[in-house]
């Protein structure tokens, strides 16, 4: 009994502490957003009493906030649409084919994950200025897709490796070409992996602040992270409206993960196995 208790504490106590540490800021944000006072004080509100939606009304009374949401949705969805086909093809090639420079290419993909985006923002700005992609949602989609793609390709390689190649060989014996075998056999089995990669790409593009801040100067094209930063005034800060905006910004991400969580778990298990 003691051994079981010790094992339970060893496993679950760190997880419990991590969950509390992670969720406490979100809980505090919810209380601030729904509390009628909405002021940051030394007293922590355990419940939003008195309850009020005034801060959300204040948020949506701003004519610019709905465009911020629209811009974020367009950028995040378009980033996923651009990334998925390239990630699937790249991951498949890395998993199924042997070619000169494969190891170097894989190392290059991994290396990109260690380079801070802030180090590249000036040359990116110059390139986008020359290409006339500043103040453009298309430019924002391209730069987000570029930075999300290496991680997506690496994950997709794991998903493809988890699928036995014998299944594709069997389809080719039955008369399919290599490409038809991929479409009819591999791609349906890759659905959990595609969903997992799409989820990470969506969240990465949705949360990205740096590129949207430096590459977009037209307020009508701001995304939610940049738009919320302007609630921080020079002389005062509307913390309650900022918290309400944070709640609204979190909702799409939570909904996406709630809808795809069963695919996500299966996909990540396949990636680890591959």
């Amino acid at each position: 009994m003691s051994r079981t208790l010790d094992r339970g504490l060893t496993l679950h106590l760190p997880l419990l502490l991590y969950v509390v540490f992670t969720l406490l800021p979100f809980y505090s944000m919810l209380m601030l957003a729904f509390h009628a006072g909405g002021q940051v004080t030394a007293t922590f509100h355990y419940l939003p009493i008195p309850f009020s939606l005034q801060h959300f009304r204040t948020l949506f009374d701003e004519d610019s906030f709905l465009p911020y949401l629209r811009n974020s949705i367009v950028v995040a969805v378009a980033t996923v649409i651009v990334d998925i086909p390239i990630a699937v093809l790249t991951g498949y090639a890395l998993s199924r084919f042997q070619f000169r420079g494969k190891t170097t290419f894989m190392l290059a993909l991994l290396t990109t994950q260690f380079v801070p985006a802030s180090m590249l923002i000036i040359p990116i700005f110059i390139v986008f200025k020359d290409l006339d992609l500043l103040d453009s949602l298309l430019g924002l989609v391209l730069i987000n897709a570029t930075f999300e793609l290496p991680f997506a390709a690496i994950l997709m390689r794991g998903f493809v490796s988890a699928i036995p190649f014998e299944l594709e060989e069997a389809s080719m014996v039955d008369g399919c070409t290599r490409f038809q075998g991929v479409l009819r056999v591999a791609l349906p089995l890759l659905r959990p992996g595609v969903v997992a990669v799409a989820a990470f790409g969506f969240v990465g593009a949705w949360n990205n602040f740096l590129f949207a801040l430096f590459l977009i100067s037209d307020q009508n094209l701001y995304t939610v992270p940049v738009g919320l930063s302007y609630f921080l005034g020079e002389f005062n800060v509307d913390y309650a409206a900022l918290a309400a905006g944070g709640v609204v910004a979190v909702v799409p991400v939570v909904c996406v993960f709630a809808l795809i969580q069963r695919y996500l778990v299966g996909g990540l298990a396949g990636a680890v196995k591959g």
Side-chain angles (χ1 to χ4, degrees):
M1 181 68 180
S2 177
R3 179 178 296 180
T4 303
L5 180 62
D6 291 342
R7 186 166 180 262
L9 289 175
T10 303
L11 290 174
H12 297 109
L13 184 59
L15 291 176
L16 178 62
L17 293 175
Y18 176 77
V19 169
V20 171
F21 182 78
T22 303
L23 294 183
L24 187 60
F26 290 99
Y27 182 76
S28 177
M29 181 176 67
L30 284 171
M31 295 306 100
L32 183 60
F34 288 104
H35 195 278
Q39 298 298 322
V40 178
T41 63
T43 304
F44 179 78
H45 298 295
Y46 294 96
L47 292 173
I49 299 174
F51 181 86
S52 174
L53 295 175
Q54 179 59 41
H55 308 308
F56 290 91
R57 286 192 288 268
T58 300
L59 182 71
F60 285 101
D61 282 343
E62 295 282 340
D63 294 335
S64 56
F65 191 75
L66 283 177
Y68 297 161
L69 281 174
R70 180 199 64 207
N71 295 335
S72 285
I73 292 172
V74 168
V75 170
V77 171
T79 298
V80 171
I81 292 174
V82 172
D83 265 352
I84 290 300
I86 303 175
V88 170
L89 295 174
T90 305
Y92 185 88
L94 291 173
S95 175
R96 294 288 194 248
F97 298 111
Q98 296 296 328
F99 53 89
R100 182 178 299 177
K102 177 180 175 179
T103 303
T104 304
F105 182 70
M106 281 289 297
L107 182 61
L109 286 179
L110 290 170
T111 302
T112 61
Q113 303 304 296
F114 305 123
V115 179
S118 56
M119 292 179 59
L120 304 175
I121 194 64
I122 293 178
I124 289 173
F125 182 89
I126 295 172
V127 171
F128 272 51
K129 182 180 179 182
D130 292 339
L131 295 176
D132 198 24
L133 287 175
L134 296 178
D135 284 333
S136 167
L137 292 183
L138 174 61
L140 204 54
V141 169
L142 292 177
I143 193 63
N144 279 319
T146 300
F147 275 79
E148 295 294 333
L149 184 58
F151 181 66
I154 292 169
L155 278 183
M156 193 57 66
R157 176 185 178 274
F159 299 139
V160 175
S161 298
I163 299 174
F165 182 61
E166 289 76 13
L167 296 177
E168 294 174 56
E169 287 182 327
S171 69
M172 288 185 279
V173 170
D174 290 337
C176 289
T177 64
R178 181 68 176 265
F179 186 68
Q180 289 173 333
V182 172
L183 289 181
R184 296 180 182 180
V185 177
L187 198 56
L189 296 174
L190 280 174
R191 183 169 59 180
V194 170
V195 172
V197 170
F200 282 108
F202 182 90
V203 173
W206 180 272
N207 290 335
N208 189 277
F209 175 76
L210 183 67
F211 296 138
L213 178 66
F214 280 91
L215 302 179
I216 303 293
S217 59
D218 183 353
Q219 187 174 354
N220 295 322
L221 299 177
Y222 284 167
T223 57
V224 169
V226 177
L228 288 178
S229 69
Y230 282 86
F231 281 87
L232 303 173
E234 183 177 357
F235 300 106
N236 64 332
V237 179
D238 191 346
Y239 289 106
L242 189 62
V247 172
V248 173
V250 166
V251 167
V253 176
V254 173
C255 291
V256 166
F257 275 91
L259 290 173
I260 67 172
Q261 54 90 18
R262 65 190 183 96
Y263 296 106
L264 188 63
V265 173
L268 291 179
V272 173
K273 182 179 178 182

